[in-house]
Amino acid sequence: MLMPSIFGENLFDEMMDSFNDEFFGKCSPLYGKNASRVMKTDIKEADGRYVIDIDLPGFKKDEIHAELKDGCLTISASKGLDKEGRYIRRERYAGAMSRSFYVGENVKQEDITARFENGILSLSVPKEEEQKKVETPNYIAIEG
């Protein structure tokens, strides 16, 4: 349906945003206006490892960074578009985003493998094995 240009393209998006704000409180960035900028992620379990697939379309390998610190795996991606010329319309994403996953204190950097192909970052992280607690008897010595 064609709308007069005074309404703009986001007329219905803006109406729904105000509806959501009114009835559900402020939208989180995950479901708000920035939903298209969130790193969409699938995590599956296979062969004692977690496989994390993150969609990063339009990014190059050198624009993506992965860091493991204190058991937290952080994936960040940033890109900027050329600043030459005056933009009439700008729809492509330019900026930075990151996402973190807790993978466990015992996971080491060398245990994680990463591959970037066709706009999908695929990480393989070993499952942290649950250490069984050994119950020791708490007997109290009785003298006499």
Side-chain angles (χ1 to χ4, degrees), residues 84-96:
E84 295 179 20
R86 188 177 74 107
Y87 286 97
I88 305 302
R89 182 176 191 85
R90 190 175 204 169
E91 294 181 351
R92 295 182 300 152
Y93 179 77

Side-chain angles (χ1 to χ4, degrees), residues 40-118:
K40 294 177 176 54
T41 304
D42 293 334
I43 301 173
K44 63 183 172 184
E45 188 177 353
D47 300 326
R49 300 181 76 76
Y50 292 113
V51 178
I52 304 170
D53 292 328
I54 304 172
D55 285 349
L56 294 168
F59 284 91
K60 297 176 188 164
K61 180 180 160 187
D62 60 337
E63 296 172 330
I64 303 168
H65 303 283
E67 178 184 17
L68 179 66
K69 184 176 182 182
D70 298 326
C72 189
L73 176 65
T74 302
I75 310 300
S76 57
S78 61
K79 68 185 294 178
L81 299 174
D82 55 331
K83 305 216 187 294
E84 295 179 20
R86 188 177 74 107
Y87 286 97
I88 305 302
R89 182 176 191 85
R90 190 175 204 169
E91 294 181 351
R92 295 182 300 152
Y93 179 77
M97 62 177 104
S98 69
R99 188 126 187 227
S100 296
F101 304 93
Y102 181 76
V103 295
E105 297 287 332
N106 296 329
V107 175
K108 296 182 178 86
Q109 177 181 343
E110 51 271 3
D111 297 335
I112 300 173
T113 59
R115 179 185 183 111
F116 185 67
E117 191 172 16
N118 297 327

Side-chain angles (χ1 to χ4, degrees), residues 2 14 17 20 22 27 29 48 62 76 87 102 104 108 112 114 120 128 142-143:
L2 295 174
E14 291 168 7
D17 287 344
N20 286 337
E22 189 174 324
C27 295
D62 60 337
S76 57
Y87 286 97
Y102 181 76
K108 296 182 178 86
I112 300 173
I120 298 173
E128 185 175 38
I142 302 173
E143 294 179 22

Side-chain angles (χ1 to χ4, degrees), residues 23-34:
F23 289 100
F24 301 111
K26 282 287 186 194
C27 295
S28 68
L30 182 61
Y31 298 106
K33 293 180 182 178
N34 299 322

